[in-house]
Amino acid sequence: MTKLKLQITPIQQWLPKAKRPIVISGPCSAESEKQVLSTAVALAKTGKVDALRAGIWKPRTRPNSFEGMGEPALKWLKDAGNATGLPVTTEVANAQHVDLALKYGIDILWIGARTTVNPFSVQEIADALKGVDIPVMVKNPVNPDLQLWIGALERINQAGITKIAAIHRGFSSFEKSPFRNSPKWELPIELKTLCPDLPIICDPSHIAGNRELLSFISQKALDLAMDGIMVEAHIHPQTAMSDADQQITPERLAVILGDLVVRESVSKNSEFKNQLDQLRKIIDELDEEIVQKLSSRMKIAEKIGAYKRDQNVTILQVKRWEEISNRWLALAQALGLNDEFTKKLLQLIHKESIRMQTGVMNSELAG
Ligand code: PEP
Ligand code: MN
């Protein structure tokens, strides 16, 4: 796996007061000067919020819904930032938004999920940001495409923006699920693996789509070593002009944050470290054995392939494969392995085995 080469300024340098978890909060949309200010003041009062968010231009699925208050709301947001001493952030979707946000002194920008899907739009924003020193957070694209997310981060980074972060807000999906946007945790995990220095902020509000799942998602994000959360909060959530179902009061946010358990990636407890080291050694040895055994299995499959070729027998032997599957599944079940996992692993091994055998057949044809 090749690591990503992004130039990253640590987030502690652009949100200097922030401790893990970094908390960004504010309404889905700025609706009025009073709503923005009263929400901001109540959020600041919790003492747990590091930056204020508010949408100024709202990407809506259908026309004639509330599309944000536009330019006047930039001043409300910045004034709320000044009143509370907190940096402010908003979504930009084109070069004009960038120019206006800069004009009003917005401190941090973010690119929304519907914009990340479009490289033309991301490039337009990147071009508008050339020579500007401002932090930019990039939400994941609506569809679960890691390359598209990475591509957007690269475009912004190549424009000279090194104060960057990713925001995980879940992915659109046809599958039935309790979430508005399926979290697909494996994507942010892979992003973190490819680029360990990149801060990742989870947006539980757009993943959940409701108030009830916010705690659960936020805790999971922290347990997966994410750096912070962006949560939508509104002084009167029920009356919100967008995303009313998922917004919470600043007081509720304080309770949720108070209940979060922040686990560190390392522990100072040496007894724990010793035990962890020992268990990791065992895992490493087991992994080595698994790889060796898989390699031996594939070598035998190759031999069988040569034998089938010489005897003019088909590679796929349905009956034999059924026998293997049933035996595996029964054993795996008895040993406490998850059925889904066993089936997926079996399919992978079978596919690779067939690929090896096909290689043997073809080498004969080529010869
Ligand atoms: C938002 O943050 O209000 C928003 C529109 O988010 P997303 O781009 O994740 O849908
Ligand atoms: Mn929203």
Side-chain angles (χ1 to χ4, degrees):
M1 222 174 342
T2 19
K3 295 266 183 238
L4 281 181
K5 287 192 197 71
L6 294 175
Q7 283 269 318
I8 297 171
T9 302
I11 195 162
Q12 292 74 17
Q13 286 182 30
W14 48 276
L15 277 179
K17 293 200 203 96
K19 288 204 317 279
R20 189 167 170 271
I22 291 159
V23 179
I24 303 171
S25 185
C28 175
S29 305
E31 300 166 6
S32 69
E33 185 170 9
K34 193 163 161 236
Q35 171 248 8
V36 175
L37 185 63
S38 52
T39 307
V41 168
L43 285 170
K45 221 174 96 191
T46 67
K48 294 178 173 175
V49 171
D50 304 298
L52 294 172
R53 65 150 280 155
I56 307 286
W57 301 279
K58 300 307 295 180
R60 303 311 297 273
T61 306
R62 306 277 303 271
N64 310 323
S65 12
F66 171 64
E67 289 184 332
M69 299 304 282
E71 186 172 345
L74 286 167
K75 182 167 175 333
W76 306 339
L77 180 58
K78 186 61 192 177
D79 287 350
N82 288 335
T84 53
L86 292 171
V88 296
T89 178
T90 198
E91 172 178 350
V92 289
N94 57 40
Q96 193 207 2
H97 294 167
V98 172
D99 293 343
L100 284 169
L102 294 176
K103 181 172 143 195
Y104 283 85
I106 300 302
D107 304 284
I108 303 164
L109 306 178
W110 89 74
I111 297 181
R114 289 162 195 76
T115 307
T116 307
V117 290
N118 184 346
F120 287 134
S121 300
V122 176
Q123 192 57 52
E124 178 183 318
I125 294 170
D127 291 343
L129 284 169
K130 278 206 182 108
V132 182
D133 179 23
I134 189 167
V136 178
M137 306 184 289
V138 180
K139 285 202 175 195
N140 65 254
V142 176
N143 54 324
D145 182 340
L146 182 60
Q147 292 307 314
L148 211 43
W149 197 2
I150 291 173
L153 287 157
E154 285 173 335
R155 283 177 200 277
I156 298 302
N157 199 220
Q158 281 172 19
I161 305 282
T162 59
K163 295 169 181 164
I164 49 173
I167 300 179
H168 167 233
R169 52 77 81 195
F171 304 87
S172 203
S173 163
F174 284 123
E175 289 155 28
K176 216 170 146 333
S177 119
F179 305 104
R180 175 178 174 190
N181 289 293
S182 161
K184 298 195 184 298
W185 296 101
E186 64 278 12
L187 275 96
I189 290 173
E190 190 167 353
L191 183 61
K192 191 79 184 171
T193 312
L194 291 172
C195 193
D197 295 337
L198 179 69
I200 304 188
I201 312 267
C202 181
D203 170 348
S205 304
H206 290 90
I207 293 178
N210 60 51
R211 290 181 256 282
E212 291 68 38
L213 286 168
L214 293 178
S215 291
F216 165 79
I217 299 165
S218 305
Q219 185 62 57
K220 174 116 184 181
L222 291 193
D223 291 345
L224 291 175
M226 291 197 187
D227 300 84
I229 50 179
M230 184 198 248
V231 185
E232 287 186 343
H234 191 293
I235 198 77
H236 300 301
Q238 310 84 311
T239 65
M241 296 166 84
S242 58
D243 287 351
D245 294 345
Q246 71 197 28
Q247 301 205 57
I248 50 173
T249 60
E251 293 72 31
R252 175 77 195 131
L253 177 71
V255 173
I256 292 181
L257 293 176
D259 287 345
L260 287 178
V261 183
V262 185
R263 301 183 171 94
E264 299 301 326
S265 59
V266 286
S267 163
K268 292 184 188 78
N269 179 334
S270 58
E271 169 77 5
F272 162 80
K273 211 181 150 325
N274 255 335
Q275 282 181 3
L276 190 68
D277 280 350
Q278 277 179 22
L279 291 173
R280 282 187 170 153
K281 234 188 235 134
I282 300 177
I283 289 262
D284 289 349
E285 279 163 20
L286 286 170
D287 282 350
E288 218 179 285
E289 263 179 57
I290 292 175
V291 174
Q292 283 172 11
K293 292 252 182 319
L294 279 173
S295 159
S296 311
R297 195 190 188 287
M298 292 307 158
K299 288 205 175 92
I300 303 266
E302 208 171 15
K303 268 196 195 145
I304 292 184
Y307 196 64
K308 284 177 180 167
R309 175 197 65 204
D310 296 343
Q311 299 297 317
N312 253 341
V313 172
T314 58
I315 293 177
L316 183 65
Q317 302 276 328
V318 178
K319 201 156 162 290
R320 160 88 180 134
W321 180 239
E322 255 175 35
E323 277 166 25
I324 296 182
S325 302
N326 293 339
R327 197 149 26 88
W328 253 74
L329 272 170
L331 178 64
Q333 229 171 33
L335 293 177
L337 285 176
N338 170 289
D339 264 6
E340 268 317 288
F341 166 75
T342 312
K343 279 183 200 154
K344 273 194 195 142
L345 185 61
L346 253 170
Q347 267 162 5
L348 265 180
I349 292 178
H350 190 219
K351 203 168 144 203
E352 180 61 7
S353 203
I354 289 187
R355 195 186 68 82
M356 303 280 296
Q357 296 188 31
T358 315
V360 174
M361 292 261 176
N362 290 345
S363 70
E364 169 69 359
L365 290 178

